[in-house]
Amino acid sequence: MTDQWLFKSETYDNCNCQINCGCQFNLPSTNGYCQSAYIGHIVEGHFNDTPLVGLNWAVLYKWTGEIKDGNGKRQIVIEERADQAQRIALETIVSGEACKPLSNAFSVFASTCSEFCETLFLPIDIEADLEGRTARVEIPGILKSKAGPKINEFTGEPFHIALARPSGSFEFTYAELGLGTTSVTGDMEMAFEDTWALFCIHHFNQDGLVRERSRLTAWLGALW
């Protein structure tokens, strides 16, 4: 019997591209190589009979060139308060091993990686406001990150940028965009400042991306 699971996470992602990240606009990366930190909080979830609600997770990626060219490196971090069954379940999902091949972001990115670091079990402190486009994250000894909205240079007010992907995406159907700053130490050492920050709902199950309008799209109304 195929595993039955649900993973619905409020997720913050900061990568080293400028705010027009090539992954979402079918363009080359800003720097010719990619580095990224995904951190999320599960608002709905289970893996068979194992509950996952309330747990935090992170995945760190590095590619020496474009993602499509492979040779990536990955490290998973799971909140240390997860019990053994939850650790196994979350690692299975986030590693991309529990779904149809290439049907969600974890599976796609895993297919481009050739080096997989040991999974870490650590405290993950995340505060993220998806509508406000702000985040603060700390994984002690590993990662610090913060994000906020892009500011309009003429008015000094937050500049609202959003991205709708009702089809063609393996990651989300809608995202809010801002700017983030992240530093990582250890096996995945990297750092970038005021670069692409994405706030979305990752909604996956064993069949792939669940294309359900998230609460973030309510303002679209009849337009979608």
Side-chain angles (χ1 to χ4, degrees), residues 40-42 51-57 78-79 81-83 86 90:
H41 174 75
I42 300 175
L52 301 174
V53 175
L55 294 175
N56 299 330
W57 60 276
I78 294 172
E79 192 169 29
R81 65 186 179 89
D83 64 28
Q86 290 172 323
L90 258 182

Side-chain angles (χ1 to χ4, degrees), residues 178-198:
L179 295 173
T181 296
T182 295
S183 62
V184 177
T185 58
D187 292 333
M188 300 292 290
E189 184 176 1
M190 53 186 169
F192 27 90
E193 183 176 359
D194 289 335
T195 54
W196 164 275
L198 177 152

Side-chain angles (χ1 to χ4, degrees), residues 18-209:
Q18 294 303 309
I19 202 162
N20 60 333
C21 174
C23 286
Q24 305 304 332
F25 295 96
N26 199 25
L27 296 169
S29 63
T30 301
N31 305 291
Y33 65 93
C34 295
Q35 301 178 345
S36 186
Y38 285 83
I39 310 99
H41 174 75
I42 300 175
V43 294
E44 293 182 34
H46 64 87
F47 189 84
N48 296 324
D49 295 330
T50 300
L52 301 174
V53 175
L55 294 175
N56 299 330
W57 60 276
V59 190
L60 312 176
Y61 297 101
K62 293 178 73 172
W63 292 269
T64 55
E66 302 293 347
I67 295 174
K68 66 180 179 60
D69 295 328
N71 297 315
K73 183 178 180 180
R74 184 193 73 190
Q75 185 163 49
I76 295 170
V77 186
I78 294 172
E79 192 169 29
E80 66 175 5
R81 65 186 179 89
D83 64 28
Q84 185 63 18
Q86 290 172 323
R87 292 182 180 195
I88 293 171
L90 258 182
E91 186 172 17
T92 301
I93 292 172
V94 176
S95 66
E97 297 176 357
C99 62
K100 294 180 180 179
L102 308 183
S103 66
N104 69 32
F106 299 137
S107 177
V108 171
F109 291 147
S111 74
T112 67
C113 292
S114 56
E115 184 175 355
F116 302 92
C117 299
E118 179 183 3
T119 296
L120 302 177
F121 301 96
L122 297 168
I124 300 176
D125 183 14
I126 175 171
E127 296 177 4
D129 179 353
L130 277 64
E131 288 92 339
R133 305 179 295 289
T134 62
R136 184 194 61 78
V137 182
E138 182 172 3
I139 304 176
I142 295 293
L143 177 147
K144 287 187 177 181
S145 185
K146 63 180 181 179
K150 184 174 176 61
I151 300 300
N152 188 316
E153 296 181 3
F154 295 96
T155 67
E157 297 296 320
F159 189 69
H160 193 177
I161 308 171
L163 182 61
R165 297 290 304 275
S167 64
S169 174
F170 49 74
E171 187 173 0
F172 57 83
T173 55
Y174 176 88
E176 297 275 356
L177 306 183
L179 295 173
T181 296
T182 295
S183 62
V184 177
T185 58
D187 292 333
M188 300 292 290
E189 184 176 1
M190 53 186 169
F192 27 90
E193 183 176 359
D194 289 335
T195 54
W196 164 275
L198 177 152
F199 303 82
C200 73
I201 304 293
H202 274 148
H203 193 180
F204 305 144
N205 64 20
Q206 64 278 350
D207 298 316
L209 174 65

